[in-house]
Amino acid sequence: MLALGLFAIIALTVMNVFSLYDIRDRMTEGEEERQFQLAEELVRDVRQQIYTPFSGLREIELEPVEYFINSSGQFPPQLKEGIINASKNPLFDGIYFTPESIDPCQEGASIYGFNYSNNELELTSEYPSILCDGLVLARTKARIELNSFNYRWNNNVEFDAHRTMNIGFINLEENRVIGYLTITLNKDQIVNGLISPLMNEYFSADTAGGTVLWLHDWLNNEVLATNNNAIEYDIDLVDQRRVRFGTSMFSEWNIKVAFLDNSIATMYNATLVKNLIILGFAFLFLIGALLFMFFTAQRERALSLRQAGFLANVTHELKTPLAVMQAAGENISDGRVTDPIRLQKYGDHIYSEAIRLKKMIDKLLDVAKSDSGQALINAAPVDANELLRFFVSESRAYIEAKGFNLDLKLSDSRPLIMADKDNLENILSNLTENAIKYSSDNKNILFSVVTNQKEIIINISDTGIGIPKKHHKNIFKKFYRVEDSLKAKTKGHGLGLSIVKNLVELNGGDVTLKSEVNIGTTFKLRFPVLIPNEKTLNNQKNRITSTSITENNEYAQ
Ligand code: ADP
C-alpha cells in the first residue's frame, strides 16, 4: 500500500514537473510567435508606406494616358496630382516615365523625367543607369504575366531590389503595356527614415524584452539597421524564420529576428521555478502525510495486536484465580475439608488468589481511568524520603522473601514534592514488582532519593536482566513487552510501565530509564521541587546518605 501510494505520488509529481516545463515552453514559444508576427506587421507597414503614394493609380483609367502623354508630353491631370504628391516623399529620389516603345538601355535614348522644380514632365536622356536594370526586370515580368493569364489589373509593379520601383501601365483592353513609371528609391531614407524608426517603434527597448531585429543585406552580409545596437549581429542567435519584404521589393534584404534570454522568458522561468517550489512542498507534504498515515496505521495495528493478545491473556488471568477460589470454596462448603491445617491452607489459597485478582483488577481500572482521562489526583506535599522509608518498610518482608537484598539511600535534605501519595505508592509498587519479576540470579533492589535545586529524583534500581536499548523508546507504551526467554516465564500484560508513566506525568514529573542487558535497570522519577530548601541550595553536589529504616516513622503514622 505504501509502495503504491509512493508510486502514485511520484508519478503525479513527475507528470506535473513535465507539464510545468511544457507550459513554460509553450508560453515562451507563444511569446516568440507574437513577437514574430509583430515583425511581420512592421514589414506590412513598410510596404504600405512605399505603395500608398501610388495606390490612387488603381482607380485611374490608364488607356487615355498613353494618348495624353504622346500628344502633350505631360501626365493627365488626375495622374499628375498623385505624382506631385509622391515627388514630395523623401523615400523617392526621382520619377520617370518610359513609354513601352523606348528602351532606356540604349545609349542616347530619351525618356520622360519629372522635373521637381516645375512639376512638369520633360524628355531627357540624363537619367540614372539603374533605370535600365529595373525596366528589364519589369518588362520581363509584365510580359510573362500578360501572356500567362487573363491579367485583371491596370498596373504591374516590379522592384529592382531597393533601387527602383517600376509600375507598368497596362492597357487592359489590348492586353499590353503602355509604359513604365519608374521611381528611383532613396536607400538612406528607406533604411534610416522608415525601417529603422519603425523597428524602434515596434520593438522599443521597453516592450521588445529580448527580441532583437536586424535589417540584413544578405547579399553584402551587412546590417543596415537594428532595434538594439548593444547586440552584435550573430547568425547563431538568429531564428530560422526570416521576415521578407515581398517577392521583389528589397529582395536582397530581410529582417532577422533573435529571441535572446529576455525578460519575458525570465519571467516565465521565474514562474516555473515558483511552481516547482510549490510542487516540491506539495510533494514533500504528500509524502509526509502518506508516511505519517502508514506509520500510524502500523502503530495502530501493533497496538490492536497487543490488545488482542492482552485480552486473551487477561481473560485467562482472571479466570485462573477465580477457578482456584471456586474450587477451594466448594471443598470447604461441602464439608469435605475438616482438617484445620488443610482448612488454613485452603483459606491461604483463597486469600492469595483474591489478592492477585484484586491487583489485576486495580491495574485494569488504572488503565481504564487514565485512558478515559478520569484519573483524578489528590495532590499534597509529600516528603520523598518519608515516602520511600514507608514503602520500603511495608514491602521489605515481601521483597526479602523473594530472595532480594534491599538498600535505601535517602537525600540529606527534606525533599518535598507536590503529588498524590497513593499514585506515588502505586508507581513504586509497579516498579518494585518489575524489579522482582525481571531479575534472575543477581537479586538486588536499591531505592534512592536525590535532590538538586530544581528537582527531586527517585531511583529504583535492580541488577536484573536489563532491557535491550532498542526497546527503550517503546517500553512505556501500553501492552508493550520485551520478547525474550525470561518474559515468556514471567506473567505480565505490558501495562505496569504505561501506568507508571501516566501517573508520574499526572503528578507533574517524568520518568526515564537506564538499562543494560544483564547489568540492571534503573527507573528515574523526576519531580519538581516544591520548596527549594536551603540545604539543597548550599549543596550543589548531592550527597546521598544511607539511612537505616525505621519501622516506626512519622510517615507511617
Ligand atoms: P509487564 O511487566 O506486565 O510485562 P510492564 O509495562 O510493567 O508490563 O513492563 C513492560 C516490559 O518492560 C516488561 O514486559 C519487561 O520486558 C520490561 N521491563 C519492565 N521493567 C523491567 C526491569 N526492571 N527489568 C527488565 N525488564 C523490565
Side-chain angles (χ1 to χ4, degrees):
M1 188 201 83
L2 177 70
L4 261 177
L6 280 175
F7 177 75
I9 292 175
I10 290 171
L12 274 176
T13 310
V14 170
M15 264 167 57
N16 272 318
V17 168
F18 275 120
S19 59
L20 283 177
Y21 271 98
D22 196 42
I23 290 170
R24 194 272 315 261
D25 289 347
R26 274 165 201 265
M27 280 162 88
T28 311
E29 272 168 27
E31 181 56 27
E32 287 178 4
E33 188 54 42
R34 205 182 65 79
Q35 301 273 323
F36 199 80
Q37 282 171 8
L38 203 62
E40 286 178 329
E41 204 176 308
L42 181 154
V43 162
R44 275 198 292 280
D45 210 347
V46 172
R47 285 169 62 85
Q48 209 177 355
Q49 304 242 11
I50 305 271
Y51 281 126
T52 306
F54 304 98
S55 59
L57 272 176
R58 263 175 284 157
E59 276 84 52
I60 297 174
E61 222 186 317
L62 288 177
E63 282 79 9
V65 170
E66 185 176 28
Y67 171 74
F68 199 93
I69 295 177
N70 284 344
S71 59
S72 68
Q74 293 302 322
F75 286 129
Q78 71 269 39
L79 184 59
K80 191 171 179 181
E81 200 185 325
I83 299 291
I84 293 172
N85 274 338
S87 71
K88 291 179 187 148
N89 193 323
L91 297 173
F92 313 126
D93 272 345
I95 299 170
Y96 303 88
F97 183 77
T98 313
E100 175 67 338
S101 54
I102 298 174
D103 179 4
C105 300
Q106 235 169 38
E107 217 166 294
S110 288
I111 62 168
Y112 293 101
F114 182 78
N115 187 332
Y116 274 58
S117 45
N118 62 8
N119 292 341
E120 298 287 335
L121 271 188
E122 52 193 41
L123 271 174
T124 174
S125 50
E126 300 287 308
Y127 51 86
S129 60
I130 50 167
L131 230 88
C132 157
D133 299 341
L135 229 63
V136 169
L137 286 172
R139 279 197 166 126
T140 315
K141 187 185 163 223
R143 275 183 202 143
I144 293 169
E145 291 194 348
L146 287 176
N147 287 340
S148 57
F149 61 96
N150 197 7
Y151 200 73
R152 291 185 290 121
W153 295 277
N154 67 352
N155 67 74
N156 184 291
V157 183
E158 181 67 17
F159 283 80
D160 172 17
H162 61 273
R163 287 181 286 271
T164 55
M165 172 163 73
N166 303 280
I167 307 173
F169 288 1
I170 292 166
N171 182 334
L172 277 175
E173 282 164 21
E174 296 170 17
N175 200 35
R176 67 176 176 84
V177 179
I178 296 164
Y180 295 90
L181 185 70
T182 301
I183 299 103
T184 52
L185 303 170
N186 183 327
K187 177 184 170 189
D188 183 54
Q189 268 301 318
I190 291 172
V191 172
N192 300 316
L194 177 62
I195 300 178
S196 181
L198 280 178
M199 274 183 163
N200 288 316
E201 185 189 316
Y202 278 79
F203 294 88
S204 74
D206 297 343
T207 56
T211 307
V212 183
L213 266 64
W214 292 284
L215 174 62
H216 188 235
D217 179 340
W218 53 265
L219 208 59
N220 302 306
N221 194 18
E222 186 190 349
V223 171
L224 303 173
T226 176
N227 68 325
N228 188 344
N229 285 310
I231 312 277
E232 198 147 329
Y233 173 72
D234 178 355
I235 189 72
D236 291 338
L237 298 176
V238 168
D239 191 87
Q240 281 175 346
R241 295 167 291 181
R242 278 106 172 87
V243 190
R244 297 180 201 285
F245 290 90
T247 42
S248 71
M249 185 193 279
F250 312 152
S251 54
E252 79 279 43
W253 296 351
N254 56 34
I255 289 183
K256 296 204 165 82
V257 187
F259 302 107
L260 304 186
D261 224 10
N262 56 44
S263 53
I264 289 159
T266 316
M267 191 184 84
Y268 290 149
N269 274 334
T271 313
L272 174 75
V273 170
K274 207 168 66 195
N275 287 340
L276 284 178
I277 290 174
I278 294 171
L279 186 67
F281 274 114
F283 174 73
L284 290 180
F285 179 76
L286 280 176
I287 292 279
L290 184 75
L291 290 180
F292 175 76
M293 272 157 54
F294 176 74
F295 287 118
T296 311
Q298 290 281 89
R299 246 202 333 264
E300 292 295 318
R301 203 166 144 254
L303 181 72
S304 65
L305 277 179
R306 289 206 303 266
Q307 252 166 340
F310 162 77
L311 264 181
N313 219 340
V314 99
T315 324
H316 171 74
E317 292 279 317
L318 290 175
K319 274 184 171 168
T320 314
L322 274 177
V324 173
M325 285 156 68
Q326 192 184 357
E330 242 174 49
N331 284 344
I332 296 169
S333 68
D334 284 358
R336 264 184 269 160
V337 182
T338 47
D339 174 25
I341 297 175
R342 281 190 70 200
L343 263 178
Q344 195 190 349
K345 220 171 138 195
Y346 272 74
D348 282 350
H349 256 316
I350 292 173
Y351 178 72
S352 64
E353 288 304 315
I355 294 286
R356 215 174 115 194
L357 201 58
K358 180 180 177 298
K359 275 189 186 169
M360 188 75 213
I361 290 168
D362 282 348
K363 247 184 201 180
L364 287 175
L365 286 177
D366 282 346
V367 174
K369 265 194 222 160
S370 74
D371 270 359
S372 61
Q374 287 173 4
L376 289 177
I377 64 160
N378 190 5
V382 176
D383 181 330
N385 277 348
E386 295 307 324
L387 171 83
L388 264 279
R389 230 182 246 137
F390 175 72
F391 179 77
V392 167
S393 72
E394 286 285 290
S395 345
R396 174 175 283 276
Y398 171 72
I399 296 171
E400 284 181 347
K402 297 272 177 187
F404 278 78
N405 295 320
L406 198 154
D407 203 357
L408 173 66
K409 290 183 176 175
L410 299 178
S411 158
D412 58 354
S413 59
R414 191 156 179 253
L416 274 186
I417 55 180
M418 191 70 173
D420 183 315
K421 198 180 73 184
D422 291 343
N423 286 174
L424 292 178
E425 280 173 359
N426 194 342
I427 294 165
L428 290 176
S429 82
N430 264 305
L431 294 178
T432 308
E433 200 61 48
N434 279 355
I436 293 170
K437 276 201 292 190
Y438 302 109
S439 293
S440 44
D441 300 334
N442 216 353
K443 301 187 175 200
N444 299 292
I445 300 181
L446 165 69
F447 296 92
S448 69
V449 180
V450 179
T451 54
N452 64 34
Q453 279 184 19
K454 288 189 206 140
E455 53 192 10
I456 286 158
I457 304 160
I458 300 172
N459 298 307
I460 297 95
S461 309
D462 63 56
T463 49
I465 59 166
I467 303 170
K469 278 243 151 30
K470 61 174 180 180
H471 295 290
H472 288 195
K473 66 175 193 309
N474 292 321
I475 206 74
F476 293 103
K477 285 181 184 163
K478 230 188 285 173
F479 309 123
Y480 195 90
R481 304 199 74 206
V482 177
E483 300 289 332
D484 75 1
S485 52
L486 189 75
K487 192 214 99 173
K489 283 184 252 155
T490 53
K491 288 189 174 150
H493 313 286
L495 289 177
L497 289 184
S498 91
I499 293 173
V500 167
K501 187 171 164 65
N502 242 308
L503 292 180
V504 172
E505 285 172 359
L506 261 177
N507 285 278
D510 78 78
V511 54
T512 53
L513 85 151
K514 245 192 194 164
S515 181
E516 267 184 65
V517 174
N518 294 332
I519 300 228
T521 305
T522 297
F523 284 96
K524 254 181 205 310
L525 315 173
R526 285 195 172 77
F527 294 98
V529 167
L530 179 59
I531 306 159
N533 99 22
E534 240 167 80
K535 209 165 180 184
T536 318
L537 289 175
N538 294 339
N539 279 347
Q540 292 291 4
K541 263 178 142 195
N542 296 316
R543 280 179 24 240
I544 301 168
T545 49
S546 185
T547 51
S548 61
I549 302 153
T550 41
E551 293 284 62
N552 200 5
N553 56 54
E554 69 184 80
Y555 189 80
Q557 283 151 14

